Amino acid sequence: MTMPNETRPLRVLHLTDPHLMANASGQLLGVNTRDSFSAVVDEVLKSHGQPDLVLATGDLAQDGSEEAYRVFGQRLTVFQCQTAWSPGNHDDAGTLKQVAEEFGANHRRILMGGWQFILLDSSVPGKVHGELLQSELAFLEQVLSEYPEMPAVVSLHHHPVDIGCAWLENIGLKNREAFWQVIERFPQVKVVLWGHIHQEQNIVRDGVRLLSTPSTCIQFTTGSSDFSVEPLAPGYRWFEFDADGSFTTRVHRALDFSFELDQSSSGY
C-alpha cells in the first residue's frame, strides 16, 4: 500500500463497455469501437497524463473473442500502471480471465494509496442481466472484513439500483438486496462503481457514492423508457483519492472524436 507520490492523490481511471471486436473494422451502431476506445485513451493521456491504476468493468469485448481482449490489453500498455479487468454480459468470462492473466490484470482486490479496490463478477453466462453468486458475496464480505478501517471502492458491471430507464431495469443486478446487505455492514465503503448502462449516474445512498461511467463507444439516452441512444462522445471517469478517505471524480469525454451514430436501431 504505497502512494506513487506522497504529494498528490492516487489517480484512478475507470473504463467500461468498449465492446471491442476481433474485426478491426467492427462497429456498434455505426461507431468503430476500436477507434472510439483509442480516442478515449488518447484523451486520458492528453488531459490527465498517467494514472496509477486502471479499472475496467465489463463488456470489454462485443464478441467475446480472444483477439478483442488482446487488443484491449495491448492498447492499455500505454498506461504505466496496474490494470484490473472484470467481465460483463457480452464477455466470455473464461477467455477474458485467460488474457487478463497474461497482462497481469486478473487481480480482484487491490490495495493502493490507503484504499481498497474490489472487482466483482456480476456476469451470468448467456444472460444480459447480472447476479452475484454466493461465492462473490462471500468474497466481498471477506475482503471488506480484512481492512475495516480502509476506505473501499466496490466495482461491478451491472447497476445495483434503479437509474430511471425503464428498459434497463430488468437487465441490472437481480439480487441487489443481497449485495446491499453486505455493503451496509461496512461503513468504509465510499464508492460503488459500475458500467453497463452507457451513461453517467451520480447518486448518494446512505453516504455511499453510487457512480456509473459512460461507455468508450455509444451512449444510451438518460431517462429513456425504451432503447435509445444519443450522440454523446465516448467517455471515461477519472478519480483522485486521498488517503484520508476523501476523493474527487468527474466524467470526461473524447470530444474530438468524430462519428455518425445510427439512432434508428432498436437494440445492439
Side-chain angles (χ1 to χ4, degrees):
M1 291 181 292
T2 60
M3 285 290 289
N5 184 327
E6 293 182 359
T7 64
R8 64 164 175 81
L10 182 78
R11 301 182 297 202
V12 176
L13 170 64
H14 180 219
L15 300 171
T16 192
D17 299 277
H19 291 270
L20 300 179
M21 306 176 202
N23 185 346
S25 60
Q27 296 184 349
L28 196 63
L29 303 190
V31 177
N32 182 295
T33 59
R34 290 199 190 186
D35 289 348
S36 61
F37 179 58
S38 286
V40 165
V41 170
D42 290 344
E43 180 64 29
V44 172
L45 291 170
K46 181 179 74 173
S47 296
H48 303 285
Q50 289 289 333
D52 302 309
L53 174 66
V54 178
L55 301 176
T57 57
D59 284 358
L60 309 187
Q62 172 74 1
D63 56 9
S65 66
E66 183 175 335
E67 175 63 19
Y69 297 122
R70 293 196 185 284
V71 168
F72 182 75
Q74 287 291 344
R75 191 67 182 92
L76 290 187
T77 59
V78 299
F79 299 127
Q80 300 161 12
C81 67
Q82 183 172 357
T83 69
W85 312 352
S86 57
N89 51 287
H90 281 277
D91 289 307
D92 181 299
T95 305
L96 183 154
K97 181 180 178 181
Q98 171 196 329
V99 179
E101 288 176 350
E102 296 174 14
F103 283 93
N106 58 319
H107 297 282
R108 303 187 59 213
R109 186 263 293 275
I110 297 145
L111 304 175
M112 187 178 291
W115 284 73
Q116 178 171 205
F117 299 89
I118 302 163
L119 292 92
L120 300 177
D121 179 357
S122 61
S123 65
V124 180
K127 302 295 183 181
V128 181
H129 71 260
E131 186 170 357
L132 292 169
L133 297 177
Q134 186 56 45
S135 57
E136 288 295 295
L137 294 170
F139 167 74
L140 176 62
E141 182 172 5
Q142 173 192 335
V143 295
L144 288 172
S145 297
E146 289 176 0
Y147 295 92
E149 305 302 322
M150 184 179 295
V153 175
V154 177
S155 69
L156 67 166
H157 182 68
H158 294 83
H159 49 297
V161 291
D162 292 341
I163 50 98
C165 285
W167 73 275
L168 285 169
E169 294 317 326
N170 290 330
I171 60 172
L173 187 68
K174 288 294 187 182
N175 60 335
R176 59 186 62 177
E177 295 82 5
F179 171 72
W180 286 113
Q181 285 175 6
V182 176
I183 296 295
E184 289 166 358
R185 291 179 47 216
F186 296 95
Q188 76 264 34
V189 176
K190 304 295 184 183
V191 176
V192 173
L193 179 66
W194 68 88
H196 189 49
I197 63 173
H198 290 231
Q199 60 188 254
E200 176 183 1
Q201 293 283 333
N202 189 335
I203 305 165
V204 178
R205 171 181 167 141
D206 296 331
V208 181
R209 289 279 290 282
L210 314 183
L211 300 169
S212 70
T213 299
S215 166
T216 69
C217 59
I218 65 169
Q219 313 305 321
F220 299 155
T221 305
T222 303
S224 60
S225 298
D226 301 310
F227 177 85
S228 176
V229 292
E230 56 185 340
L232 292 175
Y236 62 95
R237 183 178 288 279
W238 185 263
F239 288 93
E240 296 194 352
F241 292 99
D242 291 303
D244 64 1
S246 62
F247 68 93
T248 60
T249 185
R250 183 183 170 193
V251 162
H252 300 261
R253 297 183 185 271
L255 298 176
D256 293 336
F257 177 68
S258 298
F259 60 99
E260 293 186 11
L261 180 66
D262 177 7
Q263 294 182 262
S264 65
S265 177
S266 60
Y268 75 108

